[in-house]
Amino acid sequence: MKQNLIGPVGILGFGVEGKSTLNYLLRNGIKDIVVMDKNPVELPELPSDAKVQTFDGEKYMEGLKNCVTVVRSAGVYPMQQELFHFQMNGGVITSQIEIFLAETNSRSVVGVTGTLGKGSTVSMIRHALNACKIPCVIGGNFGVPALDLLEDDSADRVSILELSSFQLMTLPTSPHVGIVLRVSTEHLDWHKSVEEYRDAKANLVRWQKRTDYCVYIQDAAPSAAIARESGAQKLSYGSKDADAVFTPDSLSIDGYTLKLSDCKIRGAYQLENMAAALLAVKALGADVATALQSLKSYEALQFRMEFKGEKRGIEFYNDSYATRPDATMAAVRSMKRPFSLILGGSEKNADFTELSNLLATLPNLKKISLIGATAKRMLESLKLAGVSVPKQIFPGLDEAFADACSLGEGSAVLLSPACASFGLFKNYKVRGQCFDALVEKF
């Protein structure tokens, strides 16, 4: 093992990532393990020679006293007093991503971060590399946990990781290719400030060397500021004077042009994601022309501005994954037809002012149907912003959908809630499935 994990090794957080870490430790002959989680810990069947202690409940951190090394799961906030004391007493804290970057035999690792578009971008890179006949896998925050990728590691493949601020916050190393998408603000219920959130994102490229590559969007000031922390070669994308240039309808790179109208996906903001993906392909030395052609056949990830077809002259778009106002802002900007918007969900105390101000300026927005716990607060925000189109609160998605369809032939219906789904639905996937079912029955 390239990274020396001195035991006993603690696993802090025992969700999907923590269980993956346990499997990794056992695969590598580490049998003296301490599992810690605030929730009840249920261990899988273990080898007979494994010595696994468990600590759960309110005092789960007491397990630290039995550890030399701790692998922190991404969701556990690292700046806690107990963890500082552990390190001050000589303990070592690491993470799945740090271990992966030290261990992998991959020919290259691509890391993608940002507030919006991470999942789409990593899947676009995979799609393009497949077309270029370059073996690749995806993981991290999207797909499978990073350490699971080490089970069948290979020196001829590229590993593509979606990386959240949680995963990046304490990362002391950076991947060969780092992609910084648009960065705004998110997770302020976890991070102590906007500055902390953006500083965490910067670890993606902060430790890069001159032989590495930093791909970034130059039109977004926070992203450009993060890129300046990298010592790598820079590849930028933006609306002008960049290595890849996008407009509302197309993007250009190395003399080649990709028109959005030739692609299967909808949404002008997807051109930004495609620009980032193509620059990553370029950094990896793959053929840009082949990659660009391949993106014409790329299909949107489920519930991410997914075009569900046209019925009775109405187009339907499922953007249930839009659980933040800025995601909905990107979606509504891409709408061409007169459209109805379904908004609302569970309460995360997001500020809807900027979204409301944008909606007040859209001439093709004709109706807003509101649902969920945030509906009343959103309605007030829309009124304050001067949004003049009809807007009404409905008890559920079924009624809101029926209202949205009332614009009739030549219109579009967009589900882009700007909120999480809890309360009315288990999660955004169930909400998206319910919308799909309504379209199917329409």
Side-chain angles (χ1 to χ4, degrees):
M1 294 172 67
K2 297 173 189 172
Q3 190 169 76
N4 189 19
L5 299 180
I6 301 172
V9 176
I11 301 172
L12 189 55
F14 201 57
V16 173
E17 189 174 309
K19 292 178 175 65
S20 163
T21 300
L22 176 64
N23 291 333
Y24 167 82
L25 295 176
L26 294 173
R27 287 199 313 271
N28 285 280
I30 297 174
K31 304 293 176 65
D32 197 357
I33 300 168
V34 180
V35 175
M36 297 163 278
D37 196 292
K38 189 175 290 185
N39 299 308
V41 171
E42 293 185 17
L43 294 173
E45 187 174 342
L46 299 168
S48 58
D49 57 345
K51 178 189 172 187
V52 181
Q53 304 173 66
T54 62
F55 291 80
D56 55 21
E58 289 302 313
K59 296 184 178 181
Y60 71 104
M61 287 277 196
E62 289 186 359
L64 291 170
K65 66 180 182 291
N66 296 342
C67 304
V68 175
T69 308
V70 166
V71 183
R72 175 185 70 90
S73 295
V76 178
Y77 187 69
M79 304 304 179
Q80 298 184 56
Q81 190 175 26
E82 296 93 337
L83 298 181
F84 280 129
H85 287 161
F86 173 72
Q87 291 172 296
M88 290 295 288
N89 289 320
V92 175
I93 297 179
T94 186
S95 68
Q96 277 226 351
I97 304 305
E98 183 178 350
I99 296 170
F100 177 84
L101 291 175
E103 298 287 323
T104 184
N105 294 317
S106 303
R107 61 185 275 188
S108 184
V109 178
V110 179
V112 181
T113 199
T115 306
L116 295 170
K118 296 186 293 293
S120 294
T121 302
V122 298
S123 59
M124 286 174 183
I125 296 169
R126 178 176 61 179
H127 186 86
L129 290 179
N130 285 340
C132 295
K133 304 292 192 274
I134 295 176
C136 59
V137 291
I138 61 174
N141 200 45
F142 180 90
V144 301
L147 293 183
D148 289 4
L149 299 179
L150 294 178
E151 285 196 66
D152 57 351
D153 204 11
S154 167
D156 67 344
R157 77 183 185 192
V158 174
S159 293
I160 310 160
L161 303 179
E162 177 190 318
L163 298 172
S164 69
S165 60
F166 300 174
Q167 292 166 308
L168 291 168
M169 191 164 177
T170 57
L171 193 67
T173 183
S174 298
H176 174 52
V177 180
I179 301 176
V180 185
L181 307 175
R182 282 189 185 270
V183 172
S184 54
T185 59
E186 196 186 12
H187 300 308
L188 295 186
D189 55 340
W190 195 86
H191 288 288
K192 302 304 182 190
S193 65
V194 174
E195 290 74 23
E196 183 185 278
Y197 169 70
R198 293 177 180 174
D199 186 68
K201 294 284 192 188
N203 281 330
L204 177 73
V205 297
R206 179 175 279 141
W207 317 112
Q208 286 185 311
K209 301 179 286 291
R210 275 184 284 182
T211 52
D212 296 325
Y213 290 89
C214 173
V215 176
Y216 70 100
I217 179 166
Q218 65 182 27
D219 291 21
S223 304
I226 288 171
R228 286 195 290 273
E229 298 208 27
S230 171
Q233 301 171 67
K234 307 292 199 308
L235 292 171
S236 66
Y237 60 104
S239 54
K240 60 181 180 180
D241 301 326
D243 296 289
V245 176
F246 56 82
T247 71
D249 305 304
S250 66
L251 72 84
S252 301
I253 177 172
D254 291 356
Y256 304 104
T257 298
L258 177 65
K259 294 182 179 178
L260 187 59
S261 58
D262 292 334
C263 299
K264 287 190 173 183
I265 55 174
R266 309 296 175 97
Y269 66 93
Q270 292 282 25
L271 289 167
E272 295 183 18
N273 297 332
M274 286 191 270
L278 290 172
L279 287 174
V281 167
K282 181 176 180 176
L284 293 167
D287 185 65
V288 172
T290 300
L292 183 141
Q293 284 297 318
S294 77
L295 290 180
K296 293 180 179 179
S297 63
Y298 173 81
E299 296 186 9
L301 294 173
Q302 192 176 33
F303 310 138
R304 290 162 169 87
M305 200 56 187
E306 187 183 7
F307 178 56
K308 303 306 300 184
E310 183 172 342
K311 300 183 81 171
R312 297 191 219 168
I314 302 173
E315 291 183 345
F316 294 94
Y317 295 89
N318 190 336
D319 195 34
S320 183
Y321 189 72
T323 58
R324 302 178 303 278
D326 47 358
T328 298
M329 289 169 67
V332 297
R333 285 191 180 104
S334 69
M335 297 300 290
K336 303 297 184 185
R337 286 187 176 192
F339 73 100
S340 299
L341 174 64
I342 301 174
L343 276 178
S346 57
E347 185 63 82
K348 291 199 298 186
N349 298 311
D351 186 348
F352 300 122
T353 304
E354 192 176 358
L355 170 61
S356 299
N357 288 339
L358 171 64
L359 295 178
T361 69
L362 298 179
N364 58 333
L365 174 63
K366 302 300 181 185
K367 183 187 285 280
I368 298 174
S369 308
L370 297 152
I371 59 173
T374 59
K376 288 183 180 178
R377 194 163 67 83
M378 292 182 110
L379 183 60
E380 291 171 6
S381 179
L382 293 167
K383 288 177 179 177
L384 279 173
V387 177
S388 58
V389 301
K391 41 199 173 294
Q392 188 176 343
I393 295 174
F394 293 91
L397 183 59
D398 292 37
E399 297 88 345
F401 179 86
D403 179 63
C405 292
S406 64
L407 285 184
E409 189 174 348
S411 69
V413 172
L414 169 63
L415 170 68
S416 188
C419 301
S421 59
F422 311 116
L424 291 176
F425 305 96
K426 181 181 178 182
N427 53 42
Y428 79 88
K429 292 180 181 177
V430 174
R431 177 171 62 191
Q433 290 164 356
C434 290
F435 181 84
D436 284 354
L438 291 168
V439 174
E440 188 67 28
K441 288 190 294 185
F442 183 70

